[in-house]
Amino acid sequence: MKILKFGGTSVGSAERIQSLLDIVNPAERQIVVLSAVAGTTNALVEIAKAYTSGKKDEAKDLIKQHKDKYEALIKDLFSTENGYKQGKELIDYHFNYIASLSNDLFTPTEEKIILAQGELMSTTLWHFYLAEKGIPSVLLPALDFMKIDEDNEPVVPFIKEKLEAILAEHPENMLFITQGFICRNSFGEIDNLRRGGSDYTASLIGAAIQADEIQIWTDIDGMHNNDPRVVKGTTPIAELSFDEAAELAYFGAKILHPQSVFPAQRYNVPVRLLNTMDPKAAGTLISQNGGKKGAIRAIAAKDDITAIHIHSSRMLLAYGFLRRVFEIFERYKTPIDMITTSEVAVSLTIDDTKNLDDIIREVEDFGKVSVDREQTIICVVGDFGANTHGYAARVLDAVKHLPLRMVSYGGSDYNVSILLDSEHKVEGLRSLHHRIF
Ligand SMILES: Nc1ncnc2c1ncn2[C@@H]1O[C@H](COP(=O)(O)OP(=O)(O)O)[C@@H](O)[C@H]1O
Ligand SMILES: N[C@@H](CC(=O)OP(=O)(O)O)C(=O)O
């Protein structure tokens, strides 16, 4: 069984929703995971922000604006009166529900309920469209099987058990549709897998049911060797290993949600990145042995990084120092991305600054602390195993005209990372691209 995920742009208009049938073969048993229509989740975030700050009129205007877009979409999508009627009832229901939340005490729980409406609408609209065309499909409610625990980690055995039970109820059906992104948390409340999380849904489903392949359909012909939004002349990479893809996704290659590689890797299910606008293009295949030995594969950048530098003479010849520093970050559930150390100092980076003030207060017990904000990690990914040579030199040579804050090499066989001020990011990406590829 295959899992096909279509992102926001792939369901971004009536025409795009209709042309999913050019790609999806309804005679093949498969699960199709859909994101919300492009722009919807951003609009829902804005509505929730307006509610949070008590701006009910602003929220009402935003709801109206967005509902108008959906009115236009369903007019173009359906060709029968009955199809249109069903679509209209659906969007009335969801937008009235969003509007009704203005009367409640607005907490993060209500915010997550609002954010879930986009995927609930897109999947049901496509299900109705297929029905209009006489194509049977089964809508699988993600909220019935997609679950995360108290640490926001997915509960794969639960997902597997629930999903297999639901699929077993429909032995004759071929086409299943479900929502990406949304899930329930350990309290049973509606939650989500964070922005861009529909890829993660597809990967978790693929892992849970041991699918043959997970296909991520988007608006570009695979993972490119640099950020196409910043650098001209980037090219798609035919094959990547899971490790390389994970590094690229984590360090900013927006085409894949950062966590989405791990479930597929853990259960060894290949992932293919494909282009809805050009379905015949080869795309990128991510698999166990996909990497090309001894080569630089791609460059990615992650913004909004904060660097923390701790200078302490107590570190000199001491043991247990780093453990005590790391424990502080662990207590505040703050992941560390990059680390460099000397005998009397340690520098590390984080991207989640929710608890930064508390962390700094505690870290200051160890020595002198300084913080640099608006930093960017540029990550160069390839096969840099212990027997290879020259890669770090090539990377550093390409950015020798830029001030570097940190350099990390050797942490894994796949990654050379540099930290620089975000104002140098574009120049860094371009210079690396032109000198390396
Ligand atoms: N290395 C990269 N390779 C391919 N696309 C990338 C890369 N880095 C950033 N992107 C961007 O990711 C976009 C696709 O991701 P996204 O917008 O999340 O798609 P979707 O809405 O289909 O989930 C592309 O349009 C491209 O601009
Ligand atoms: N709709 C959600 C989830 C998602 O994955 O979207 P997309 O596939 O369009 O990146 C978001 O915008 O975050």
Side-chain angles (χ1 to χ4, degrees):
M1 195 166 183
K2 282 186 188 148
I3 315 298
L4 283 73
K5 177 259 169 174
F6 292 92
T9 34
S10 304
V11 291
S13 64
E15 198 192 337
R16 294 246 66 89
I17 298 175
Q18 287 161 346
S19 53
L20 291 183
L21 279 178
D22 297 344
I23 294 168
V24 174
N25 173 3
E28 218 177 276
R29 197 162 155 93
Q30 69 208 294
I31 300 178
V32 174
V33 177
L34 297 187
S35 292
V37 170
T40 302
T41 312
N42 285 345
L44 296 172
V45 168
E46 290 308 312
I47 293 166
K49 264 193 203 149
Y51 277 149
T52 307
S53 46
K55 296 177 183 158
K56 287 190 183 180
D57 287 342
E58 190 184 316
K60 211 168 145 191
D61 286 348
L62 288 167
I63 293 170
K64 159 105 182 52
Q65 270 173 35
H66 216 64
K67 190 174 174 205
D68 287 348
K69 284 192 194 160
Y70 272 79
E71 300 262 5
L73 185 142
I74 57 167
K75 272 195 192 117
D76 292 340
L77 182 62
F78 296 103
S79 51
T80 64
E81 211 173 292
N82 190 43
Y84 175 77
K85 190 168 155 275
Q86 278 192 311
K88 176 83 172 91
E89 278 169 11
L90 179 84
I91 64 167
D92 283 349
Y93 169 79
H94 285 280
F95 283 103
N96 287 343
Y97 182 45
I98 296 169
S100 77
L101 293 171
S102 73
N103 299 320
D104 293 336
L105 179 66
F106 200 79
T107 69
T109 307
E110 279 72 36
E111 178 177 356
K112 287 169 181 168
I113 293 174
I114 289 191
L115 260 54
Q117 304 307 309
E119 272 71 10
L120 290 169
M121 284 194 280
S122 62
T123 45
T124 314
L125 282 174
W126 195 48
H127 177 60
F128 288 166
Y129 174 75
L130 291 172
E132 186 181 65
K133 296 277 153 215
I135 299 169
S137 65
V138 179
L139 208 46
L140 303 174
L143 297 176
D144 287 356
F145 63 84
M146 192 53 69
K147 189 175 163 181
I148 52 173
D149 64 17
E150 50 285 355
D151 292 321
N152 294 329
E153 289 297 325
V155 191
V156 178
F158 178 92
I159 299 168
K160 178 181 168 63
E161 191 190 316
K162 286 280 177 188
L163 198 51
E164 284 180 348
I166 305 173
L167 291 173
E169 286 169 21
H170 304 279
E172 307 296 328
N173 284 88
M174 292 294 167
L175 180 51
F176 297 88
I177 308 167
T178 194
Q179 299 82 25
F181 180 57
I182 65 175
C183 62
R184 283 195 192 274
N185 61 27
S186 55
F187 302 108
E189 297 161 347
I190 294 181
D191 211 317
N192 60 63
L193 302 173
R194 292 195 263 170
R195 297 303 308 273
S198 299
D199 298 342
Y200 199 18
T201 302
S203 176
L204 286 166
I205 292 178
I209 66 162
Q210 283 283 286
D212 299 320
E213 184 171 289
I214 299 158
Q215 297 183 348
I216 307 286
W217 289 86
T218 179
D219 60 356
I220 189 163
D221 52 350
M223 176 75 80
H224 277 222
N225 60 357
N226 204 332
D227 190 332
R229 296 164 301 177
V230 177
V231 178
K232 284 202 190 88
T234 61
T235 49
I237 306 165
E239 286 197 41
L240 280 171
S241 69
F242 285 122
D243 287 316
E244 290 170 338
E247 298 271 10
L248 287 169
Y250 187 73
F251 285 105
K254 189 181 172 273
I255 185 171
L256 261 187
H257 180 277
Q259 282 155 297
S260 60
V261 180
F262 299 115
Q265 177 168 29
R266 163 85 177 72
Y267 294 87
N268 199 14
V269 182
V271 178
R272 219 179 266 278
L273 308 181
L274 293 155
N275 187 358
T276 332
M277 323 291 164
D278 183 8
K280 294 220 156 44
T284 299
L285 176 65
I286 304 167
S287 64
Q288 207 66 56
N289 302 315
K292 201 158 135 202
K293 294 281 163 236
I296 296 184
R297 316 301 309 284
I299 302 164
K302 187 170 173 180
D303 294 323
D304 296 324
I305 299 294
T306 299
I308 302 167
H309 310 279
I310 308 157
H311 188 279
S312 169
S313 46
R314 279 160 57 195
M315 223 177 131
L316 200 65
L317 300 176
Y319 53 84
F321 180 86
L322 286 179
R323 177 183 52 76
R324 279 178 282 139
V325 171
F326 290 160
E327 270 172 3
I328 297 172
F329 290 81
E330 187 181 348
R331 227 175 309 119
Y332 288 102
K333 294 191 172 173
T334 301
I336 297 168
D337 287 330
M338 234 176 129
I339 314 161
T340 53
T341 62
S342 82
E343 197 46 49
V344 288
V346 55
S347 294
L348 41 85
T349 69
I350 58 172
D351 72 342
D352 176 359
T353 51
K354 222 177 20 259
N355 297 308
L356 182 63
D357 291 345
D358 291 328
I359 291 173
I360 299 297
R361 198 174 25 78
E362 294 203 29
V363 169
E364 272 171 346
D365 286 346
F366 293 102
K368 209 165 133 278
V369 177
S370 63
V371 176
D372 288 327
R373 292 165 208 265
E374 288 175 46
Q375 303 288 298
T376 293
I377 295 175
I378 295 186
C379 161
V380 180
V381 165
D383 170 43
F384 312 132
N387 297 326
T388 63
H389 56 86
Y391 292 115
R394 281 175 72 190
V395 170
L396 293 178
D397 187 54
V399 290
K400 65 180 177 219
H401 56 303
L402 298 175
L404 305 184
R405 292 298 288 116
M406 289 166 66
V407 177
S408 169
Y409 175 76
S412 83
D413 284 352
Y414 313 100
N415 170 339
V416 185
S417 296
I418 54 175
L419 182 78
L420 35 67
D421 208 285
S422 297
E423 66 178 283
H424 302 302
K425 164 189 153 174
V426 170
E427 171 56 21
L429 284 178
R430 289 180 182 160
S431 181
L432 279 161
H433 194 77
H434 296 126
R435 279 157 198 261
I436 288 177
F437 298 120

